[in-house]
Amino acid sequence: MSYDEELAERVRDAVNEAAGDHASREIKMFGGLCWTVNTHMAVGCGDDDLMVHVGAAGIDEALARGARRATMGERTMGGVVLVSAADLPDDASLRAWVAPAVERAVARPPKPPKSPRPPG
């Protein structure tokens, strides 16, 4: 999977704006990009889509707004939807997806650091 550089730049700006003082991190994953805030996945981009963590309770509303379920192979990703870049023509439409995802990530307690793996 590759990602749209222009969309990635727009998402990067929207995440930074929405996260404010909260730590965000950009991670390359599966050939795309993912942004975590407060150690939790908020959004990502791959191909020509914005991937948004809406939570299980947010799926129906997101689908009604034009998103589609995110899948990985034959598996449906729980609480995650895809929004076509074509449906994000301006910054306001992008922020309408990114800001709530960032708020959701900020509201959760940070994940504890991973323990180092024992040698061997």
Side-chain angles (χ1 to χ4, degrees):
M1 179 189 303
S2 59
Y3 59 92
D4 177 328
E5 290 284 349
E6 182 181 331
L7 177 60
E9 185 62 33
R10 292 176 59 212
V11 172
R12 187 176 294 116
D13 291 344
V15 168
N16 288 336
E17 179 182 314
D21 293 336
H22 297 280
S24 65
R25 183 172 168 215
E26 185 175 319
I27 306 165
K28 289 187 177 186
M29 292 182 127
F30 312 113
L33 293 175
C34 173
W35 285 267
T36 63
V37 179
N38 195 31
T39 71
H40 298 281
M41 187 270 201
V43 295
C45 63
D47 292 329
D48 293 324
D49 294 314
L50 173 69
M51 181 173 57
V52 185
H53 187 266
V54 296
I59 292 286
D60 290 339
E61 178 186 345
L63 296 176
R65 291 176 56 199
R68 65 189 190 283
R69 292 186 182 270
T71 58
M72 188 171 263
E74 294 183 22
R75 181 178 168 260
T76 299
M77 297 174 68
V80 180
V81 297
L82 298 175
V83 180
S84 172
D87 294 332
L88 304 167
D90 54 36
D91 290 341
S93 61
L94 179 65
R95 284 192 303 265
W97 288 100
V98 172
V102 169
E103 289 171 14
R104 190 173 297 100
V106 167
R108 298 177 67 192
K111 294 177 185 177
K114 290 184 180 182
S115 300
R117 291 184 186 182

mmCIF file of all heavy atoms in Angstrom, residues 41-76:
data_model
loop_
_atom_site.group_PDB
_atom_site.id
_atom_site.type_symbol
_atom_site.label_atom_id
_atom_site.label_comp_id
_atom_site.label_asym_id
_atom_site.label_seq_id
_atom_site.Cartn_x
_atom_site.Cartn_y
_atom_site.Cartn_z
ATOM 1 N N MET A 41 -3.869 5.205 18.343
ATOM 2 C CA MET A 41 -4.087 5.494 16.930
ATOM 3 C C MET A 41 -5.294 6.412 16.775
ATOM 4 O O MET A 41 -6.347 6.158 17.349
ATOM 5 C CB MET A 41 -4.320 4.181 16.166
ATOM 6 C CG MET A 41 -4.386 4.370 14.667
ATOM 7 S SD MET A 41 -6.054 4.674 14.131
ATOM 8 C CE MET A 41 -5.957 4.246 12.428
ATOM 9 N N ALA A 42 -5.122 7.481 16.028
ATOM 10 C CA ALA A 42 -6.224 8.395 15.746
ATOM 11 C C ALA A 42 -6.623 8.293 14.281
ATOM 12 O O ALA A 42 -7.776 8.005 13.955
ATOM 13 C CB ALA A 42 -5.840 9.834 16.105
ATOM 14 N N VAL A 43 -5.679 8.532 13.388
ATOM 15 C CA VAL A 43 -5.953 8.509 11.951
ATOM 16 C C VAL A 43 -4.748 7.963 11.202
ATOM 17 O O VAL A 43 -3.656 7.847 11.748
ATOM 18 C CB VAL A 43 -6.297 9.916 11.408
ATOM 19 C CG1 VAL A 43 -7.593 10.446 11.993
ATOM 20 C CG2 VAL A 43 -5.164 10.890 11.647
ATOM 21 N N GLY A 44 -4.959 7.687 9.938
ATOM 22 C CA GLY A 44 -3.883 7.247 9.073
ATOM 23 C C GLY A 44 -4.246 7.528 7.634
ATOM 24 O O GLY A 44 -5.358 7.981 7.339
ATOM 25 N N CYS A 45 -3.319 7.284 6.746
ATOM 26 C CA CYS A 45 -3.647 7.398 5.323
ATOM 27 C C CYS A 45 -2.892 6.322 4.558
ATOM 28 O O CYS A 45 -1.772 5.963 4.896
ATOM 29 C CB CYS A 45 -3.394 8.792 4.772
ATOM 30 S SG CYS A 45 -1.702 9.359 4.810
ATOM 31 N N GLY A 46 -3.572 5.806 3.567
ATOM 32 C CA GLY A 46 -3.013 4.804 2.691
ATOM 33 C C GLY A 46 -3.782 4.858 1.391
ATOM 34 O O GLY A 46 -4.971 5.193 1.375
ATOM 35 N N ASP A 47 -3.114 4.563 0.309
ATOM 36 C CA ASP A 47 -3.705 4.718 -1.020
ATOM 37 C C ASP A 47 -4.289 6.130 -1.107
ATOM 38 O O ASP A 47 -3.591 7.091 -0.856
ATOM 39 C CB ASP A 47 -4.745 3.644 -1.310
ATOM 40 C CG ASP A 47 -4.116 2.261 -1.454
ATOM 41 O OD1 ASP A 47 -2.960 2.177 -1.897
ATOM 42 O OD2 ASP A 47 -4.785 1.267 -1.123
ATOM 43 N N ASP A 48 -5.549 6.242 -1.420
ATOM 44 C CA ASP A 48 -6.202 7.556 -1.516
ATOM 45 C C ASP A 48 -7.281 7.703 -0.458
ATOM 46 O O ASP A 48 -8.329 8.304 -0.694
ATOM 47 C CB ASP A 48 -6.815 7.741 -2.914
ATOM 48 C CG ASP A 48 -5.764 7.836 -3.994
ATOM 49 O OD1 ASP A 48 -4.695 8.413 -3.721
ATOM 50 O OD2 ASP A 48 -6.003 7.337 -5.097
ATOM 51 N N ASP A 49 -7.025 7.146 0.726
ATOM 52 C CA ASP A 49 -8.024 7.146 1.787
ATOM 53 C C ASP A 49 -7.465 7.685 3.093
ATOM 54 O O ASP A 49 -6.290 7.507 3.393
ATOM 55 C CB ASP A 49 -8.511 5.721 2.074
ATOM 56 C CG ASP A 49 -9.274 5.105 0.926
ATOM 57 O OD1 ASP A 49 -10.146 5.797 0.365
ATOM 58 O OD2 ASP A 49 -9.007 3.933 0.598
ATOM 59 N N LEU A 50 -8.346 8.287 3.850
ATOM 60 C CA LEU A 50 -8.079 8.639 5.236
ATOM 61 C C LEU A 50 -8.644 7.506 6.076
ATOM 62 O O LEU A 50 -9.806 7.108 5.903
ATOM 63 C CB LEU A 50 -8.779 9.950 5.596
ATOM 64 C CG LEU A 50 -8.731 10.367 7.070
ATOM 65 C CD1 LEU A 50 -7.305 10.748 7.464
ATOM 66 C CD2 LEU A 50 -9.695 11.506 7.320
ATOM 67 N N MET A 51 -7.855 6.954 6.961
ATOM 68 C CA MET A 51 -8.296 5.920 7.889
ATOM 69 C C MET A 51 -8.572 6.619 9.215
ATOM 70 O O MET A 51 -7.715 7.364 9.707
ATOM 71 C CB MET A 51 -7.216 4.858 8.049
ATOM 72 C CG MET A 51 -7.598 3.738 8.967
ATOM 73 S SD MET A 51 -6.400 2.371 8.997
ATOM 74 C CE MET A 51 -4.899 3.199 9.453
ATOM 75 N N VAL A 52 -9.755 6.389 9.782
ATOM 76 C CA VAL A 52 -10.163 7.113 10.985
ATOM 77 C C VAL A 52 -10.624 6.129 12.058
ATOM 78 O O VAL A 52 -11.479 5.276 11.796
ATOM 79 C CB VAL A 52 -11.320 8.090 10.686
ATOM 80 C CG1 VAL A 52 -11.658 8.921 11.918
ATOM 81 C CG2 VAL A 52 -11.005 8.978 9.505
ATOM 82 N N HIS A 53 -10.061 6.260 13.253
ATOM 83 C CA HIS A 53 -10.541 5.464 14.382
ATOM 84 C C HIS A 53 -11.748 6.188 14.959
ATOM 85 O O HIS A 53 -11.615 7.269 15.525
ATOM 86 C CB HIS A 53 -9.444 5.302 15.441
ATOM 87 C CG HIS A 53 -9.851 4.370 16.516
ATOM 88 N ND1 HIS A 53 -10.426 4.785 17.682
ATOM 89 C CD2 HIS A 53 -9.819 3.019 16.567
ATOM 90 C CE1 HIS A 53 -10.710 3.734 18.428
ATOM 91 N NE2 HIS A 53 -10.352 2.651 17.769
ATOM 92 N N VAL A 54 -12.928 5.588 14.766
ATOM 93 C CA VAL A 54 -14.167 6.194 15.258
ATOM 94 C C VAL A 54 -14.719 5.457 16.468
ATOM 95 O O VAL A 54 -15.695 5.899 17.067
ATOM 96 C CB VAL A 54 -15.246 6.260 14.145
ATOM 97 C CG1 VAL A 54 -14.808 7.165 13.013
ATOM 98 C CG2 VAL A 54 -15.604 4.872 13.630
ATOM 99 N N GLY A 55 -14.112 4.329 16.817
ATOM 100 C CA GLY A 55 -14.615 3.515 17.913
ATOM 101 C C GLY A 55 -15.831 2.717 17.471
ATOM 102 O O GLY A 55 -16.506 3.062 16.501
ATOM 103 N N ALA A 56 -16.112 1.652 18.170
ATOM 104 C CA ALA A 56 -17.234 0.774 17.808
ATOM 105 C C ALA A 56 -18.552 1.540 17.781
ATOM 106 O O ALA A 56 -19.390 1.327 16.905
ATOM 107 C CB ALA A 56 -17.310 -0.406 18.771
ATOM 108 N N ALA A 57 -18.728 2.453 18.715
ATOM 109 C CA ALA A 57 -19.977 3.210 18.793
ATOM 110 C C ALA A 57 -20.113 4.236 17.673
ATOM 111 O O ALA A 57 -21.216 4.715 17.403
ATOM 112 C CB ALA A 57 -20.070 3.912 20.146
ATOM 113 N N GLY A 58 -19.019 4.566 16.999
ATOM 114 C CA GLY A 58 -19.070 5.580 15.950
ATOM 115 C C GLY A 58 -19.201 5.049 14.539
ATOM 116 O O GLY A 58 -19.304 5.825 13.582
ATOM 117 N N ILE A 59 -19.213 3.732 14.378
ATOM 118 C CA ILE A 59 -19.242 3.135 13.038
ATOM 119 C C ILE A 59 -20.487 3.543 12.256
ATOM 120 O O ILE A 59 -20.391 4.009 11.116
ATOM 121 C CB ILE A 59 -19.135 1.592 13.114
ATOM 122 C CG1 ILE A 59 -17.750 1.186 13.594
ATOM 123 C CG2 ILE A 59 -19.465 0.943 11.783
ATOM 124 C CD1 ILE A 59 -16.654 1.343 12.575
ATOM 125 N N ASP A 60 -21.668 3.374 12.827
ATOM 126 C CA ASP A 60 -22.900 3.651 12.087
ATOM 127 C C ASP A 60 -22.970 5.101 11.621
ATOM 128 O O ASP A 60 -23.327 5.382 10.477
ATOM 129 C CB ASP A 60 -24.133 3.300 12.918
ATOM 130 C CG ASP A 60 -24.298 1.792 13.090
ATOM 131 O OD1 ASP A 60 -23.733 1.028 12.275
ATOM 132 O OD2 ASP A 60 -24.990 1.377 14.045
ATOM 133 N N GLU A 61 -22.613 6.029 12.500
ATOM 134 C CA GLU A 61 -22.629 7.447 12.124
ATOM 135 C C GLU A 61 -21.626 7.717 11.006
ATOM 136 O O GLU A 61 -21.914 8.443 10.061
ATOM 137 C CB GLU A 61 -22.317 8.335 13.332
ATOM 138 C CG GLU A 61 -22.283 9.813 12.964
ATOM 139 C CD GLU A 61 -21.832 10.702 14.110
ATOM 140 O OE1 GLU A 61 -21.811 10.265 15.270
ATOM 141 O OE2 GLU A 61 -21.486 11.856 13.814
ATOM 142 N N ALA A 62 -20.438 7.130 11.122
ATOM 143 C CA ALA A 62 -19.410 7.334 10.092
ATOM 144 C C ALA A 62 -19.863 6.784 8.744
ATOM 145 O O ALA A 62 -19.658 7.423 7.699
ATOM 146 C CB ALA A 62 -18.099 6.684 10.530
ATOM 147 N N LEU A 63 -20.483 5.616 8.746
ATOM 148 C CA LEU A 63 -20.987 5.046 7.498
ATOM 149 C C LEU A 63 -22.072 5.936 6.897
ATOM 150 O O LEU A 63 -22.119 6.125 5.681
ATOM 151 C CB LEU A 63 -21.503 3.627 7.727
ATOM 152 C CG LEU A 63 -20.460 2.596 8.172
ATOM 153 C CD1 LEU A 63 -21.122 1.256 8.461
ATOM 154 C CD2 LEU A 63 -19.356 2.447 7.142
ATOM 155 N N ALA A 64 -22.919 6.496 7.748
ATOM 156 C CA ALA A 64 -23.972 7.400 7.270
ATOM 157 C C ALA A 64 -23.383 8.677 6.665
ATOM 158 O O ALA A 64 -23.998 9.287 5.787
ATOM 159 C CB ALA A 64 -24.925 7.751 8.420
ATOM 160 N N ARG A 65 -22.180 9.059 7.109
ATOM 161 C CA ARG A 65 -21.511 10.259 6.570
ATOM 162 C C ARG A 65 -20.719 9.960 5.310
ATOM 163 O O ARG A 65 -20.062 10.846 4.768
ATOM 164 C CB ARG A 65 -20.564 10.842 7.623
ATOM 165 C CG ARG A 65 -21.271 11.452 8.812
ATOM 166 C CD ARG A 65 -20.289 11.927 9.876
ATOM 167 N NE ARG A 65 -19.308 12.872 9.372
ATOM 168 C CZ ARG A 65 -18.156 13.142 9.976
ATOM 169 N NH1 ARG A 65 -17.838 12.541 11.105
ATOM 170 N NH2 ARG A 65 -17.311 14.017 9.455
ATOM 171 N N GLY A 66 -20.727 8.703 4.850
ATOM 172 C CA GLY A 66 -20.059 8.372 3.598
ATOM 173 C C GLY A 66 -18.795 7.552 3.717
ATOM 174 O O GLY A 66 -18.170 7.228 2.712
ATOM 175 N N ALA A 67 -18.406 7.203 4.928
ATOM 176 C CA ALA A 67 -17.221 6.362 5.114
ATOM 177 C C ALA A 67 -17.577 4.920 4.759
ATOM 178 O O ALA A 67 -18.746 4.574 4.589
ATOM 179 C CB ALA A 67 -16.734 6.441 6.557
ATOM 180 N N ARG A 68 -16.559 4.095 4.661
ATOM 181 C CA ARG A 68 -16.772 2.664 4.472
ATOM 182 C C ARG A 68 -15.919 1.912 5.495
ATOM 183 O O ARG A 68 -14.935 2.449 5.992
ATOM 184 C CB ARG A 68 -16.470 2.242 3.046
ATOM 185 C CG ARG A 68 -15.040 2.392 2.623
ATOM 186 C CD ARG A 68 -14.889 2.148 1.101
ATOM 187 N NE ARG A 68 -13.511 2.048 0.707
ATOM 188 C CZ ARG A 68 -12.680 3.078 0.575
ATOM 189 N NH1 ARG A 68 -13.096 4.308 0.813
ATOM 190 N NH2 ARG A 68 -11.424 2.883 0.208
ATOM 191 N N ARG A 69 -16.310 0.703 5.786
ATOM 192 C CA ARG A 69 -15.576 -0.097 6.772
ATOM 193 C C ARG A 69 -14.162 -0.368 6.278
ATOM 194 O O ARG A 69 -13.941 -0.618 5.102
ATOM 195 C CB ARG A 69 -16.285 -1.406 7.038
ATOM 196 C CG ARG A 69 -17.595 -1.214 7.757
ATOM 197 C CD ARG A 69 -18.187 -2.567 8.135
ATOM 198 N NE ARG A 69 -19.464 -2.371 8.788
ATOM 199 C CZ ARG A 69 -19.615 -2.211 10.100
ATOM 200 N NH1 ARG A 69 -18.571 -2.226 10.887
ATOM 201 N NH2 ARG A 69 -20.806 -2.044 10.622
ATOM 202 N N ALA A 70 -13.227 -0.328 7.199
ATOM 203 C CA ALA A 70 -11.835 -0.633 6.876
ATOM 204 C C ALA A 70 -11.625 -2.131 7.018
ATOM 205 O O ALA A 70 -12.073 -2.734 7.986
ATOM 206 C CB ALA A 70 -10.891 0.126 7.806
ATOM 207 N N THR A 71 -10.951 -2.706 6.045
ATOM 208 C CA THR A 71 -10.640 -4.122 6.103
ATOM 209 C C THR A 71 -9.145 -4.317 5.896
ATOM 210 O O THR A 71 -8.468 -3.501 5.269
ATOM 211 C CB THR A 71 -11.402 -4.925 5.027
ATOM 212 O OG1 THR A 71 -11.065 -4.407 3.744
ATOM 213 C CG2 THR A 71 -12.902 -4.851 5.246
ATOM 214 N N MET A 72 -8.658 -5.398 6.449
ATOM 215 C CA MET A 72 -7.271 -5.801 6.246
ATOM 216 C C MET A 72 -7.351 -7.258 5.827
ATOM 217 O O MET A 72 -7.665 -8.122 6.657
ATOM 218 C CB MET A 72 -6.458 -5.610 7.520
ATOM 219 C CG MET A 72 -4.985 -5.817 7.339
ATOM 220 S SD MET A 72 -4.108 -5.313 8.830
ATOM 221 C CE MET A 72 -3.646 -3.663 8.343
ATOM 222 N N GLY A 73 -7.145 -7.504 4.550
ATOM 223 C CA GLY A 73 -7.396 -8.837 4.024
ATOM 224 C C GLY A 73 -8.889 -9.084 4.083
ATOM 225 O O GLY A 73 -9.678 -8.284 3.588
ATOM 226 N N GLU A 74 -9.283 -10.154 4.728
ATOM 227 C CA GLU A 74 -10.709 -10.462 4.875
ATOM 228 C C GLU A 74 -11.258 -10.008 6.217
ATOM 229 O O GLU A 74 -12.445 -10.156 6.483
ATOM 230 C CB GLU A 74 -10.925 -11.967 4.708
ATOM 231 C CG GLU A 74 -10.614 -12.443 3.298
ATOM 232 C CD GLU A 74 -10.902 -13.922 3.116
ATOM 233 O OE1 GLU A 74 -11.694 -14.489 3.887
ATOM 234 O OE2 GLU A 74 -10.319 -14.500 2.198
ATOM 235 N N ARG A 75 -10.410 -9.444 7.046
ATOM 236 C CA ARG A 75 -10.804 -9.042 8.402
ATOM 237 C C ARG A 75 -11.259 -7.586 8.423
ATOM 238 O O ARG A 75 -10.573 -6.703 7.912
ATOM 239 C CB ARG A 75 -9.609 -9.225 9.335
ATOM 240 C CG ARG A 75 -9.886 -8.860 10.756
ATOM 241 C CD ARG A 75 -8.648 -9.129 11.633
ATOM 242 N NE ARG A 75 -8.829 -8.522 12.911
ATOM 243 C CZ ARG A 75 -8.296 -7.359 13.272
ATOM 244 N NH1 ARG A 75 -7.526 -6.688 12.442
ATOM 245 N NH2 ARG A 75 -8.517 -6.869 14.461
ATOM 246 N N THR A 76 -12.422 -7.338 9.024
ATOM 247 C CA THR A 76 -12.904 -5.973 9.219
ATOM 248 C C THR A 76 -12.228 -5.416 10.460
ATOM 249 O O THR A 76 -12.195 -6.060 11.506
ATOM 250 C CB THR A 76 -14.435 -5.954 9.399
ATOM 251 O OG1 THR A 76 -15.029 -6.481 8.222
ATOM 252 C CG2 THR A 76 -14.936 -4.543 9.644
#
